[in-house]
C-alpha cells in the first residue's frame, strides 16, 4: 500500500464521520431484503472495547458455535450459538501491552479441536510479523495453542493493515497462511494442525506491486486458490493462482479485472459442489470472477456499485443453498450492504442494506462466514470503530440459484495510471488513525 492509500483511509474516516447513517427498520425476527435473502433477528452487539481494526468470524459445526474476533492492540474473541447469541463473553486471545496487534483472521479446523486465529504483531519497533493461536469455544479452556510466530524476521516486515488469510486442507492436514509484506510482496507458509510452521516461508509475488491476498482450499484437487491484487505502470488488476497443498507448487497464475480505478480488498470461496472458485474484490466497488478447478477464467463482472470500498469486501459459499453471500460497507447509509450470488458468482439481486443502525462514524471491516448445515450466513463488523456487531442472514435459494451463466466480460484496454509510491519501511510515520484515537506508531 502506498503512503497515498494510507492517508486516503484517514481521509475516508473523516468523511464518514460527517454523515448520519440511515437506520434500517426491522420488524419481527425476520425482515426480507430481496426475493431470496432475509435478516434473521436484529443487528446485535457482541463485544465492546477501545478501538477495532479488523474483524472476522468462523463456524464450528460440531458444537454449533461461531467465534468472532477483533483487534486493536489486543486480540479479542467472543463466541455465539448458531442464532448469534453470546455463549462465551469476550476474552483475550492476545493481550500483551508491550506489543500491538491488527487485522485478525479466523478459520475452524476440527483436527485441532478449535479455531485458528491469525494477526499482525509488532514484535520489534520496525518489524511486524504474523502470529497465530488455536482457540476453542467449547469446554473449559479457551486457548488451546498459545500465541506464537508464523512468519519471521528473515521474511521481512508484514503489512499490518491487510489480514493474514488462512485456510485448511483436510486432505494434507495442514493450514496455509498468506500475507502481504510492507514492500508489497505476497508470502505464505504451511502450518500443521496445531499451527506449528512446516518448512520455510514461501514467496508468491516478489515484484513489489502486490497486495491484499486471500486463500481458500479446494477438496476436489487438494489445492489452495490464491487471489491478490496488483498494479503496473498503466493499470490496476487482480491475480489468481493455484497452490498445491502437498508441496506448495505454484501454478495456473493469471491476471484479470484490469481497471484504472484501483483494486483493493479481496476474498475467495470454493463451490464445494463443483470445485470451481468464486472470488471477489473491491475496485472501487464489488466485483466477481469465477474460475474452474484448473484455473481457467469462466466469467467476471460487477456485483454492485453500492458496496465494497478500499477497506471492505468479503464473500462465502453456502453448500445448502449452493449460493454465495458477498458483503461490504454500504456507500449510501454506511451500514453493511450485501448481495447474494448464484453458484457461478453472478449476482442474483441488486446490492441492499443488510444491517441496522450505524451512527457516526459508521460500520467497517465486515466479514462473513457460512453455516455448512443451514442456508444462512453470519456477518460481523466494527461499528463506530469500538464494538463488534453481528447480523445473521438467511436465504430461500436452493440448487445454486438461477443457472444463468454470463458471457465473460471482455478485458478493458488498460489506461495510464501512476504507479503507487511504496510506503517506507520501518516505523517512520505516526499512526494514521490518531485522529480517531489511535495509539502510537505501529506501522513497521
Amino acid at each position: 500500500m502506498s503512503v497515498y492509500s494510507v492517508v486516503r483511509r484517514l481521509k475516508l474516516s473523516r468523511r464518514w464521520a460527517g454523515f448520519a447513517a440511515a437506520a434500517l427498520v426491522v420488524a419481527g425476527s425476520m425482515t426480507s431484503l430481496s426475493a431470496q435473502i432475509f435478516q434473521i433477528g436484529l443487528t446485535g452487539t457482541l463485544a465492546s472495547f477501545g478501538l477495532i481494526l479488523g474483524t472476522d468470524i468462523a463456524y464450528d459445526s460440531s458444537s454449533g458455535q461461531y467465534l468472532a474476533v477483533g483487534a486493536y492492540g489486543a486480540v479479542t474473541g467472543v463466541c455465539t450459538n448458531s442464532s448469534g447469541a453470546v455463549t462465551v463473553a469476550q476474552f483475550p486471545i492476545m493481550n500483551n501491552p508491550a506489543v500491538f496487534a491488527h487485522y485478525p483472521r479466523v478459520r475452524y479446523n476440527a483436527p485441532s479441536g478449535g479455531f485458528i486465529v491469525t494477526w499482525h504483531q509488532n514484535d520489534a519497533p520496525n518489524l511486524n510479523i504474523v502470529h497465530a493461536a488455536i482457540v476453542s469455544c467449547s469446554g473449559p479452556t479457551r486457548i488451546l495453542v498459545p500465541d506464537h510466530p508464523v512468519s519471521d524476521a528473515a521474511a521481512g516486515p508484514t503489512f499490518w493493515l491487510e489480514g493474514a488469510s488462512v485456510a485448511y486442507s483436510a486432505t494434507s492436514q495442514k493450514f496455509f497462511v498468506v500475507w502481504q509484506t510492507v514492500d508489497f510482496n505476497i508470502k505464505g507458509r504451511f502450518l500443521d494442525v496445531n499451527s506449528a510452521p512446516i518448512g520455510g516461508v514461501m514467496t508468491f509475488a516478489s515484484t513489489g506491486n502486490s497486495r491484499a491476498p486471500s486463500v481458500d482450499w479446494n477438496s476436489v484437487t487438494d489445492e489452495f486458490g490464491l487471489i491478490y491484487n496488483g498494479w503496473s505502470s498503466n493499470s490496476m488488476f487482480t491475480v489468481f493462482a493455484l497452490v498445491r497443498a502437498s508441496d506448495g507448487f505454484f501454478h495456473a497464475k493469471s491476471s484479470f479485472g484490469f481497471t484504472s480505478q484501483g483494486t483493493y480488498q479481496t476474498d475467495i470461496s470454493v463451490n464445494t459442489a463443483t470445485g470451481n472458485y468464486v472470488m471477489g474484490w473491491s475496485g472501487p466497488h464489488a466485483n466477481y470472477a469465477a474460475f474452474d478447478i484448473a484455473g481457467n477464467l469462466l466469467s467476471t463482472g460487477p456485483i454492485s456499485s453500492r458496496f465494497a470500498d478500499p477497506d471492505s469486501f468479503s464473500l462465502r459459499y453456502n453448500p445448502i443453498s449452493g449460493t454465495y453471500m458477498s458483503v461490504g460497507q454500504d456507500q449510501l447509509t454506511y451500514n453493511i450492504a450485501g448481495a447474494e450470488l448464484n453458484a457461478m458468482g453472478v449476482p442474483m439481486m441488486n446490492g441492499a442494506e443488510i444491517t441496522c443502525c450505524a451512527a457516526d462514524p459508521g460500520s467497517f471491516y465486515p466479514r462473513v462466514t457460512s453455516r455448512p448445515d443451514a442456508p444462512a450466513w453470519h456477518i460481523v463488523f466494527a461499528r463506530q470503530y469500538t464494538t463488534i456487531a453481528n447480523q445473521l442472514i438467511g436465504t430461500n435459494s436452493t440448487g445454486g440459484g438461477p443457472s444463468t451463466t454470463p458471457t465473460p466480460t471482455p478485458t478493458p484496454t488498460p489506461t495510464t495510471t501512476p504507479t503507487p509510491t511504496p510506503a517506507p519501511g520501518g516505523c517512520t510515520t505516526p499512526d494514521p488513525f490518531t485522529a480517531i484515537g489511535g495509539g502510537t506508531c505501529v506501522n513497521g
Side-chain angles (χ1 to χ4, degrees), residues 159-291:
F159 190 71
W160 68 102
L161 292 178
E162 302 289 355
S165 181
V166 58
Y168 179 74
S169 165
T171 301
S172 294
Q173 296 188 330
K174 61 179 69 171
F175 290 105
F176 181 42
V177 182
V178 295
W179 63 89
Q180 176 192 328
T181 64
V182 75
D183 54 351
F184 302 98
N185 296 318
I186 305 299
K187 298 192 176 186
R189 197 170 198 177
F190 289 132
L191 313 178
D192 69 16
V193 295
N194 293 311
S195 69
I198 301 172
V201 173
M202 299 171 284
T203 299
F204 299 102
S206 59
T207 54
N209 66 338
S210 304
R211 63 182 304 273
S214 296
V215 65
D216 199 18
W217 177 65
N218 195 328
S219 62
V220 176
T221 59
D222 193 27
E223 292 186 313
F224 295 98
L226 171 64
I227 178 178
Y228 57 90
N229 289 325
W231 68 87
S232 65
S233 61
N234 62 0
S235 188
M236 313 295 184
F237 53 88
T238 301
V239 179
F240 174 68
L242 299 174
V243 180
R244 203 157 58 196
S246 59
D247 58 7
F249 178 61
F250 181 63
H251 66 108
K253 178 180 175 181
S254 61
S255 301
F256 58 98
F258 291 90
T259 177
S260 62
Q261 296 181 294
T263 51
Y264 303 104
Q265 299 302 308
T266 70
D267 206 357
I268 182 172
S269 187
V270 174
N271 182 325
T272 55
T274 64
N276 291 338
Y277 302 85
V278 170
M279 59 209 70
W281 67 99
S282 56
H285 303 297
N287 307 275
Y288 85 93
F291 283 75

Side-chain angles (χ1 to χ4, degrees), residues 42-428:
L42 301 174
T43 300
T45 297
L46 300 181
S48 300
F49 55 98
L51 291 173
I52 300 172
L53 283 187
T55 67
D56 204 6
I57 188 167
Y59 183 66
D60 171 8
S61 57
S62 65
S63 68
Q65 294 191 91
Y66 295 93
L67 173 64
V69 295
Y72 188 81
V75 181
T76 299
V78 58
C79 303
T80 81
N81 62 19
S82 59
S83 298
V86 173
T87 56
V88 179
Q90 61 190 82
F91 59 92
I93 297 171
M94 190 289 293
N95 188 19
N96 179 355
V99 295
F100 207 96
H102 279 315
Y103 282 82
R105 291 289 182 261
V106 60
R107 282 289 183 97
Y108 179 70
N109 158 244
S112 71
F115 301 85
I116 185 171
V117 182
T118 67
W119 63 90
H120 298 276
Q121 182 172 304
N122 66 327
D123 285 3
N126 297 328
L127 182 67
N128 281 292
I129 66 174
V130 176
H131 278 241
I134 301 292
V135 178
S136 175
C137 283
S138 303
T141 303
R142 294 289 151 259
I143 310 300
L144 303 180
V145 177
D147 161 24
H148 61 281
V150 169
S151 61
D152 54 35
T158 66
F159 190 71
W160 68 102
L161 292 178
E162 302 289 355
S165 181
V166 58
Y168 179 74
S169 165
T171 301
S172 294
Q173 296 188 330
K174 61 179 69 171
F175 290 105
F176 181 42
V177 182
V178 295
W179 63 89
Q180 176 192 328
T181 64
V182 75
D183 54 351
F184 302 98
N185 296 318
I186 305 299
K187 298 192 176 186
R189 197 170 198 177
F190 289 132
L191 313 178
D192 69 16
V193 295
N194 293 311
S195 69
I198 301 172
V201 173
M202 299 171 284
T203 299
F204 299 102
S206 59
T207 54
N209 66 338
S210 304
R211 63 182 304 273
S214 296
V215 65
D216 199 18
W217 177 65
N218 195 328
S219 62
V220 176
T221 59
D222 193 27
E223 292 186 313
F224 295 98
L226 171 64
I227 178 178
Y228 57 90
N229 289 325
W231 68 87
S232 65
S233 61
N234 62 0
S235 188
M236 313 295 184
F237 53 88
T238 301
V239 179
F240 174 68
L242 299 174
V243 180
R244 203 157 58 196
S246 59
D247 58 7
F249 178 61
F250 181 63
H251 66 108
K253 178 180 175 181
S254 61
S255 301
F256 58 98
F258 291 90
T259 177
S260 62
Q261 296 181 294
T263 51
Y264 303 104
Q265 299 302 308
T266 70
D267 206 357
I268 182 172
S269 187
V270 174
N271 182 325
T272 55
T274 64
N276 291 338
Y277 302 85
V278 170
M279 59 209 70
W281 67 99
S282 56
H285 303 297
N287 307 275
Y288 85 93
F291 283 75
D292 67 17
I293 59 174
N296 299 304
L297 179 64
L298 300 175
S299 64
T300 183
I303 296 174
S304 174
S305 62
R306 179 162 178 171
F307 67 91
D309 68 354
D311 294 304
S312 68
F313 182 80
S314 183
L315 89 166
R316 194 58 51 200
Y317 175 75
N318 184 280
I320 304 302
S321 66
T323 60
Y324 292 80
M325 174 58 59
S326 60
V327 300
Q329 188 191 61
D330 190 338
Q331 300 301 283
L332 297 181
T333 69
Y334 300 96
N335 287 307
I336 304 303
E340 188 177 20
L341 317 177
N342 74 6
M344 288 290 293
V346 182
M348 300 161 56
M349 56 179 285
N350 295 324
E353 185 183 44
I354 58 178
T355 68
C356 173
C357 310
D360 280 354
S363 300
F364 306 92
Y365 319 120
R367 298 286 296 173
V368 61
T369 194
S370 173
R371 283 187 61 177
D373 53 358
W377 295 270
H378 198 168
I379 300 162
V380 294
F381 56 97
R383 178 185 284 161
Q384 301 175 44
Y385 293 111
T386 60
T387 63
I388 300 178
N390 71 317
Q391 177 67 62
L392 275 77
I393 299 293
T395 181
N396 293 316
S397 298
T398 59
S403 59
T404 301
T405 302
T407 302
T409 302
T411 300
T413 302
T415 57
T416 301
T417 301
T419 302
T421 303
C427 196
T428 60

Side-chain angles (χ1 to χ4, degrees), residues 1-9 184 420-424 429:
M1 179 181 293
S2 65
V3 173
Y4 167 80
S5 298
V6 174
V7 172
R8 184 172 187 272
R9 288 177 187 249
F184 302 98
T421 303
T429 60

